[in-house]
Amino acid sequence: MPIRYIDSPMGRLALESEGDALTGARWASPGERSRDEGSSPILREAARQFDRYFKGKLKRFDLELEEQTGTPLQHEIWRAIRGIPFGEAATYGGLARQIGTGPRAVGTACARNPVVIITPCHRVLASGGAIGGY
């Protein structure tokens, strides 16, 4: 699986792909070896979009995603989370009602999010606006 590392204002990210799709965007582990193999077009485009996002020039990512983990319900939750507009937030309960599941399922999906920032789990809050504990 090709991988590309990028530095961001929030820490080092590891971008992973397969074919023409981004399969992962995760926080790189401390001490993770930098075996940057990221010369694929999708990884270059993902790095470019992340750069624009962190510079405040991009509000919505436009990348082909292929999450290779998760249940069908988690995939549905991740799609719903990607629908939260930039600058807005949703609640675990609100997303759960929208999808027809429980808030814990939404929290579990957030905790297992394979493409951080692109699937903006940081925009999902507990009721009353508190930061959740996923």
Side-chain angles (χ1 to χ4, degrees):
M1 174 179 318
I3 188 167
R4 180 176 184 147
Y5 294 92
I6 61 170
D7 291 317
S8 82
M10 292 187 258
R12 194 160 199 229
L13 291 168
L15 308 179
E16 300 164 333
S17 70
E18 187 156 317
D20 294 334
L22 190 70
T23 58
R26 61 179 173 77
W27 306 113
S29 302
E32 185 172 340
R33 297 196 66 198
S34 181
R35 62 185 205 317
D36 201 350
E37 303 164 4
S39 61
S40 74
I42 187 68
L43 290 177
R44 283 193 303 272
E45 179 60 19
R48 185 186 76 77
Q49 288 189 31
F50 270 104
D51 182 60
R52 294 190 71 229
Y53 177 83
F54 288 121
K55 288 179 178 174
K57 296 179 181 179
L58 180 78
K59 294 186 179 184
R60 186 173 182 89
F61 288 88
D62 183 20
L63 297 164
E64 182 69 32
L65 300 178
E66 186 178 306
E67 295 102 342
Q68 297 182 333
T69 62
T71 66
L73 176 58
Q74 288 170 339
H75 285 255
E76 186 176 356
I77 292 167
W78 294 330
R79 280 191 298 275
I81 292 170
R82 284 193 294 273
I84 302 169
F86 183 86
E88 294 183 26
T91 64
Y92 294 99
L95 284 170
R97 283 188 297 280
Q98 174 186 332
I99 294 165
T101 190
R104 285 190 181 172
V106 175
T108 298
C110 285
R112 295 186 179 152
N113 177 7
V115 284
V116 298
I117 300 171
I118 295 171
T119 300
C121 290
H122 57 280
R123 296 182 192 154
V124 181
L125 306 174
S127 62
I131 295 174
Y134 74 87

